[in-house]
Amino acid sequence: MIAAASGSVTNWNIRTDKAEEWRPAEGVPFLDPSGEFVAVADEDNVLTIWRQDHTRVATLPAVTEQPAVVTFSADRTGVAVVADRVLSTFRLPGGEPAREPVPLGSGYTSGIAVSPDLSRVVADIRAADGHLALTDLTTGAVVKLPRMGGTTITARFSRDGSKIVAGEEGGRVGLYEVTENFASSYRVTAVPGHVGLVTAVAVDAAGELAASVDQTGRVIVRDISIHDDMDNGPFAEAPRLRIGRGRVSSVGFDITGTRLLSSEGSGTTRLHDLRDGTARSLTTAGLRLGVTEIVGSAFTADQAFFLRDNALVRQPVNGGTEERIGDVGPQAVVAASGDTAITGDPKGKTLLWRRGDNGWSSSDLAGDPEKVTSAAISADGRFAAVGRSPDRVDVWELAGPTKIETIEGVDRAIVGLNSPVVAFQAGTATLAIGRGDGTVLMWDAVARTRSEPLVVSDKSIEAIAVSPDGRFLATGLANTPDVTLYDLPSRQPIGTLQANLGTVTALGFAPDGGRLAAGDNSGRVAVFDTSVASWRDRLCRIAGRPFSDAEWAALIGAADRPAACRT
């Protein structure tokens, strides 16, 4: 059944491809997911319930405003109506009230859904700690479910009431489990893939599939049956490292993947040891700096490059003599590879630094008044990319150095705070460019070819990283607390890494791809497990049963199954 805003309803048999259009009554229609009932609200806010065979079931008492939600119980013996922030329930077929109306409060905005047994309601609450409120209408108990980052636009219970699927304004869809112990209801996972508002969601009768559609008309169907207990899975919240004071401008791992370098806008660069959770400062924050400045750093092998006292410094982290490379200024983007480094400041000055027999020397990479937002050097030191605000990337072959390409222009006039952002895939000349219009461009510096833009979001991309094997693309979006992970070969979303940070402003993979670091605009850093092998092991433990060859191929591909998945 398809309902139109004009009030018409179309019964379409998809097997025979025959359609019948009818108009139960003048007004706004609401569909029963089973297709058995249609409710129509007329201009006086009176709801009339009709069967699919065009017979009238009941006429409900008038409500004070146009209904926002109409939900039928699973057994079709009741209906719930939300209007003017009040939930009313009625028995069918008589239409008499089933219980006293329940005020939902003045805080709710949208995302309202009622469980099929009409015993629970979920609604998005606008408050300082904006959340989804799940209320038991029998006991009055309320459980706060965390948002995924933005306002919930639409929500739906599964038919048995055990799951809630919610769609947000930022294009993400969340799955929540409603456990037998009502107070322990929790978020299972959040998945990206849409652009803009998620306007509608639905769950199949078995509770195994969820469909969602966004404002562009894109429909995504997901298997939600395998996500049980994923709160302990690969998308669980990552532990956060020591908190700084300013915007994290850069994160980078050493060659072993056990130490992490991070720099933030108050002027502090820290070296974190992930083996024991300790950290030490390589610099002391200067009072002259604010918290939003770009103060960069880079890790190459066991060498840390960072800013201190207006200069670029190189320090071996395994012992050795520290080098003062040259004057840079209090702010700069930093990229490094071996004995080569690049710095770029907010006034556009870009310097290429090389270490020779007589020490370090610098040359100007065509200084430009546009602010330098990001820089990257390929692992072999052959190519470099420099991002400049608002949307321009210069690519250099460093042997000359010679500028070989300028990439600019976006489809929409959207400028990000820190876009464009650039990152090379380790060991290759493949460059990833995140842009202000929410798209990602992959550019091959050897072949000098580019991919079709990958649409990640309608928000600007503020951070980007590519896993060393080229499988994963990680992005941080403006005003979004989590990391979006994509499968690059298929160009499909994998999921959201729930950092629960502020806006993610820096990303970096470990050399083996097994970890991903994310820094935000308030000085916090989170580290995620991105090892596919550990994900496979965890999937088998969560499933608690063997997988057939066909199931494993569909879920994972050709990779070997762990023992727990074979027996």
Side-chain angles (χ1 to χ4, degrees), residues 28 91-92 246 263 357:
V28 179
R91 295 188 181 93
L92 294 178
S263 292
D357 295 337

Side-chain angles (χ1 to χ4, degrees), residues 462-463 475-478 480-483 499 501-507 518-521:
E462 302 294 315
T475 61
L477 305 175
T480 302
D482 304 325
V483 178
L501 301 169
T503 294
V504 175
T505 54
L507 290 167
D520 77 354
N521 58 350

Side-chain angles (χ1 to χ4, degrees), residues 104-389:
L104 297 180
S106 61
Y108 93 82
T109 55
S110 55
I112 306 168
V114 182
S115 62
D117 62 0
L118 308 187
S119 68
R120 293 170 179 173
V121 61
V122 66
D124 189 284
I125 302 297
R126 177 180 292 169
D129 64 338
H131 59 274
L132 281 174
L134 177 63
T135 303
D136 188 312
L137 297 175
T138 302
T139 65
V142 178
V143 174
K144 289 185 178 181
L145 303 179
R147 282 179 182 166
M148 296 160 284
T151 300
T152 301
I153 301 299
T154 181
R156 180 77 68 177
F157 280 85
S158 60
R159 179 167 291 190
D160 64 0
S162 67
K163 294 183 176 73
I164 302 170
V165 177
E168 286 196 357
E169 62 182 354
R172 287 184 293 184
V173 173
L175 174 66
Y176 300 81
E177 185 83 5
V178 183
T179 62
E180 291 184 7
N181 178 5
F182 179 74
S184 66
S185 298
Y186 59 89
R187 175 172 57 170
V188 180
T189 188
V191 188
H194 286 294
V195 174
L197 302 179
V198 177
T199 56
V201 293
V203 185
D204 75 332
E208 296 179 350
L209 299 177
S212 52
V213 61
D214 62 32
Q215 64 188 77
T216 70
R218 183 184 188 191
V219 178
I220 298 177
V221 180
R222 298 180 176 89
D223 184 346
I224 61 176
S225 63
I226 65 171
H227 286 278
D228 289 347
D229 200 30
M230 285 294 280
D231 218 25
N232 298 316
F235 301 147
E237 180 183 346
R240 292 191 289 267
L241 303 179
R242 182 177 176 181
I243 297 176
R245 292 191 297 169
R247 172 188 183 276
V248 177
S249 302
S250 57
V251 289
F253 287 91
D254 72 345
I255 195 170
T256 68
T258 60
R259 287 177 293 193
L260 176 71
L261 192 71
S262 68
S263 292
E264 43 100 353
S266 66
T268 299
T269 295
R270 290 188 179 89
L271 182 63
H272 308 267
D273 192 321
L274 302 180
R275 294 166 293 189
D276 58 15
T278 60
R280 63 186 175 95
S281 295
L282 303 182
T283 63
T284 302
L287 295 178
R288 69 189 186 284
L289 290 175
V291 296
T292 60
E293 276 79 358
I294 296 179
V295 181
S297 62
F299 227 150
T300 173
D302 63 350
Q303 305 289 316
F305 291 76
F306 55 93
L307 302 182
R308 186 170 64 200
D309 298 330
N310 296 343
L312 179 63
V313 175
R314 184 175 81 159
Q315 177 178 312
V317 296
N318 291 326
T321 304
E322 178 182 297
E323 293 181 279
R324 186 182 187 278
I325 295 174
D327 292 332
V328 173
Q331 296 184 57
V333 167
V334 177
S337 178
D339 289 334
T340 303
I342 286 177
T343 58
D345 68 20
K347 295 182 179 180
K349 184 177 182 181
T350 310
L351 297 176
L352 171 64
W353 302 87
R354 286 196 174 106
R355 187 173 186 270
D357 295 337
N358 298 319
W360 290 87
S361 61
S362 66
S363 57
D364 193 346
L365 288 183
D368 195 294
E370 282 98 355
K371 171 185 174 182
V372 176
T373 58
S374 58
I377 302 177
S378 60
D380 60 4
R382 180 179 174 185
F383 299 104
V386 178
R388 298 181 183 277
S389 180

